[in-house]
């Protein structure tokens, strides 16, 4: 029987590395194997600089594009060797590339993901599909988010309201309501502020098991000030990022108060992440059963998960892992699904999510 394996790859704005998810589409999509490869430090530094300033020379940008292409190809080849798989067994790679700029609301809307897919296809011997966002933008969409279409295909149920919450740097939700168009949008900051705050004060990349946050006291006045941000009053569809929620933004909010202990700020930032989600979910009215499925790095944060359980007593709160898809690899799996849809010329955007005028099959095919 012909193999129906697709490999999805994702490197996000956190620049921590590359996620890989191998999905079998023979029946319903099934995660066969997954892996994570850290971003090489020199590449992380150069990309970080580009993301911070939004400025580069054409020479540097071209070289970064090439270096990422080489990284993605190496990562795939090592993964196949580890899993004892031949390139011929993989139908296609779906690679998101590295977003370096996303500007859907400018006079000439565009989005830019780099990582040369020609190199990936040539060095792996596998047809590679990339550039998933621009077709949606060409038909009037925001080019994001793309993952809700996958969430709908995998998690939607006829008899319940399912919300999939991904907590990465930013928190976003997919609202899968019976007999209604799926919607998906960013609800606020995820781990981004907690991560930069602990890096500044404890020289750690993240707050493992929320130990530092748990040692602090919640500051209600600061929480109210953080929640007093125009973004939260915007109707969906909406998206945000580190261009809004960053250390400068936090410094402005903190300036209204006498200095807090650093751990109290961390505890309050955790609550800020929780409240921005809870406030959004409480707007969703339904008589159906309500299920919240959490994925992304934030699903590993016991403080966030405990607060969701407490504040959403009328919801069943779980992780996507409990529903068959590992919390760390949902996004990578989505790009395997997008590659499957493109290979079969099936639509893969949701106009109700992105604002596109029509459903189209996303992605550009780079033959092996």
């Amino acid at each position: 029987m012909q193999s129906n394996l697709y490999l999805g790859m994702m490197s996000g704005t956190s620049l921590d590395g590359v996620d890989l998810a191998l999905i079998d589409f023979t029946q319903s999509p099934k995660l066969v194997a997954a892996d994570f490869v850290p971003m090489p430090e020199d590449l992380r530094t150069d990309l970080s600089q580009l993301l911070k300033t939004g400025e580069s020379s054409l020479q540097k940008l071209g070289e970064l594009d090439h270096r990422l292409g080489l990284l993605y190809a190496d990562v795939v080849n090592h993964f196949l060797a580890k899993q004892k798989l031949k390139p011929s067994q993989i139908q296609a790679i779906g690679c998101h590339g590295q977003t370096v700029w996303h500007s859907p609301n400018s006079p000439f809307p565009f989005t830019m993901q780099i990582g040369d897919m020609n190199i990936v296809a040539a060095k792996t011997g596998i047809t590679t599909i990339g550039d998933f966002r621009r077709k949606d933008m060409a038909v009037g969409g925001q080019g994001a988010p793309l993952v809700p279409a996958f969430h709908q295909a995998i998690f939607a149920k006829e008899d319940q309201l399912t919300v999939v919450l991904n907590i990465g740097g930013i928190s976003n939700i997919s609202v899968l309501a019976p007999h209604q168009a799926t919607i998906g949008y960013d609800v606020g900051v995820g781990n981004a502020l907690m991560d930069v705050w602990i890096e500044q004060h404890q020289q750690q990349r993240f707050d493992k098991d929320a130990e530092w946050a748990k040692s602090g006291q919640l500051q209600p006045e600061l929480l109210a000030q953080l929640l007093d941000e125009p973004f939260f009053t915007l109707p969906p569809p909406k998206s945000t990022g580190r261009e809004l929620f960053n250390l400068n933004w936090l410094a402005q909010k903190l300036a209204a108060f006498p200095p807090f202990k650093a751990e109290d700020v961390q505890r309050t930032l955790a609550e800020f992440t929780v409240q921005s989600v809870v406030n959004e979910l409480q707007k969703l009215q339904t008589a159906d059963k309500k299920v919240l499925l959490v994925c992304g790095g934030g699903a590993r944060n016991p403080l966030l998960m405990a607060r969701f359980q407490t504040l959403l007593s009328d919801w069943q709160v779980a992780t996507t892992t409990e529903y068959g898809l590992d919390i760390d690899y949902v996004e990578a799996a989505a790009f395997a699904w997008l590659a499957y849809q493109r290979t079969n010329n099936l639509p893969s955007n949701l106009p109700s999510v992105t604002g596109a005028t029509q459903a189209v099959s996303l992605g550009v095919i780079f033959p092996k």
Side-chain angles (χ1 to χ4, degrees), residues 255-311:
F257 302 97
F260 293 111
K261 286 184 181 167
E263 61 270 28
D264 290 356
V265 174
Q266 187 74 358
R267 173 66 187 86
T268 306
L269 288 173
E271 193 66 19
F272 175 49
T273 293
V274 169
Q275 292 286 350
S276 52
V277 172
V278 169
N279 291 347
E280 210 56 49
L281 295 187
Q282 283 170 343
K283 296 174 189 171
L284 303 172
Q285 299 300 324
T286 178
D288 291 316
K289 179 174 146 192
K290 293 187 282 196
V291 177
L292 177 67
L293 299 180
V294 190
C295 61
R300 293 198 180 286
N301 184 316
L303 176 58
L304 300 187
M305 294 303 288
R307 293 297 290 145
F308 288 134
Q309 298 277 6
T310 303
L311 295 172

Side-chain angles (χ1 to χ4, degrees), residues 58-119:
L58 288 173
Q59 180 73 24
K60 272 191 187 153
L61 188 63
E63 286 180 1
L64 278 172
D65 185 51
H66 190 103
R67 286 162 69 190
L68 275 164
L70 292 175
L71 172 68
Y72 294 143
D74 284 351
V75 161
V76 169
N77 288 332
H78 281 113
F79 178 78
L80 294 183
K82 209 152 119 183
Q83 299 297 329
K84 300 186 170 50
L85 286 165
K86 296 194 209 59
S88 58
Q89 290 173 270
I90 311 294
Q91 293 290 93
I93 296 165
C95 182
H96 174 263
Q98 182 65 51
T99 298
V100 292
W101 207 254
H102 185 65
S103 183
N105 300 315
S106 57
F108 300 99
F110 75 98
T111 186
M112 186 180 288
Q113 286 75 39
I114 60 173
D116 188 344
M117 300 301 153
N118 295 287
I119 292 174

Side-chain angles (χ1 to χ4, degrees), residues 102-337:
H102 185 65
S103 183
N105 300 315
S106 57
F108 300 99
F110 75 98
T111 186
M112 186 180 288
Q113 286 75 39
I114 60 173
D116 188 344
M117 300 301 153
N118 295 287
I119 292 174
V120 181
K123 290 198 169 293
T124 61
I126 302 169
T127 294
T128 300
I129 302 171
D131 194 2
F132 287 101
R133 298 188 184 276
R134 293 199 295 177
K135 185 68 176 278
D136 182 80
M137 294 183 84
V139 291
Q142 295 244 328
L146 299 182
V147 179
F150 170 67
H151 290 159
Q152 177 182 282
I154 304 294
F155 295 120
K157 291 225 170 96
E158 281 292 296
D159 58 350
Q160 68 185 43
L161 169 66
T162 308
V163 174
V164 184
L165 166 65
N166 175 52
I167 307 178
I170 298 296
S171 295
N172 52 63
I173 59 173
S174 301
V175 182
L176 315 172
H179 320 300
Q180 285 177 36
T182 292
I183 56 170
Y185 54 97
D186 291 344
V187 293
V189 79
N191 302 314
L193 288 174
M194 290 186 283
D195 289 353
V196 292
W197 188 253
I198 195 169
E199 190 159 15
Q200 189 180 44
H201 290 273
Q202 303 269 312
Q203 291 71 56
Q204 290 173 31
R205 287 260 169 93
F206 67 100
D207 187 4
K208 187 166 168 38
D209 296 327
E211 290 299 335
W212 194 45
K214 285 196 237 168
S215 74
Q217 295 290 318
L218 177 63
Q219 300 295 332
E221 305 85 356
L222 175 58
L223 178 61
Q225 181 76 9
L226 296 175
L227 288 164
D228 182 24
E229 168 57 49
F231 173 79
F232 297 115
T233 62
L234 296 174
K238 57 182 177 175
S239 57
T240 187
R242 289 161 196 266
E243 61 277 1
L244 172 61
F245 293 112
N246 52 42
L247 274 176
N248 287 341
W249 179 88
L250 181 56
Q252 285 168 3
K253 297 286 189 183
L254 287 168
F257 302 97
F260 293 111
K261 286 184 181 167
E263 61 270 28
D264 290 356
V265 174
Q266 187 74 358
R267 173 66 187 86
T268 306
L269 288 173
E271 193 66 19
F272 175 49
T273 293
V274 169
Q275 292 286 350
S276 52
V277 172
V278 169
N279 291 347
E280 210 56 49
L281 295 187
Q282 283 170 343
K283 296 174 189 171
L284 303 172
Q285 299 300 324
T286 178
D288 291 316
K289 179 174 146 192
K290 293 187 282 196
V291 177
L292 177 67
L293 299 180
V294 190
C295 61
R300 293 198 180 286
N301 184 316
L303 176 58
L304 300 187
M305 294 303 288
R307 293 297 290 145
F308 288 134
Q309 298 277 6
T310 303
L311 295 172
L312 298 167
S313 54
D314 55 338
W315 288 70
Q316 182 188 326
V317 179
T319 65
T320 55
T321 305
E322 295 163 63
Y323 278 65
L325 195 51
D326 188 303
I327 56 169
D328 291 325
Y329 298 106
V330 175
E331 280 202 286
F335 285 92
W337 178 82

